[in-house]
Amino acid sequence: MRLAAPVVLIVLLFLTGCGNGNGRVEQAETIVEFDPHDASILERPFSAAEIRDEWVPGFRLLMRRSFPERTRTERWTVVSADHEGVEIEYATIADDGTVEGEPSISRSTWTELRDHAAFPVEHSSREWVSRETALGDFEGWLYRVAEPGAAVVNEFFFVPELPGAPVQMRALEGDTIVFELEQTARLRPDSN
């Protein structure tokens, strides 16, 4: 299987969002983690349990989605979660702070969210870097994913203390950013 399909799928998942569920977060009786001996996949930045522990009901991200011709702001809100997965509401936010159109809600399991970062060793690299982001300056894992000779390289920057979606995701064509998705605000309901 060519890498283009999995990378496109990963990008589409980040573009369309992830998640849906009812109830509060409970300790999972069983979350099947990835096989640490699967040499075909780079080590993922987070376990399903780490994401579950962070993405509690009320958890919210503001994301800036940028293309060369336009930029928009999205709000991702965990509306419910249980031991199997999470329900997330996705809304596009206008410049005046109001919601544009109808928000959408989707459900994902914790393992599906974890596996958004299942990058194949054959066409990916992982390195520890310092990076400036809209949330501040961080050290974390930068994954670069591209088939040999591919025109576009996808970069995913994950910060260990911020489980879940990448803090920054970029699609680069040469040195030109052709797409960027970046967290601009992050709020847990138990923090002030």
Side-chain angles (χ1 to χ4, degrees), residues 39-76:
S40 69
I41 301 294
L42 288 177
E43 182 178 344
R44 293 166 180 88
F46 308 109
S47 68
E50 288 171 319
I51 298 168
R52 182 201 62 216
D53 292 346
E54 179 76 3
W55 289 55
V56 297
F59 177 82
R60 179 174 289 178
L61 293 177
L62 285 183
M63 305 291 281
R64 181 176 53 234
R65 184 179 303 272
S66 302
F67 300 90
E69 66 280 357
R70 72 184 185 286
T71 298
R72 73 175 189 223
T73 300
E74 299 172 1
R75 183 184 66 211
W76 300 3

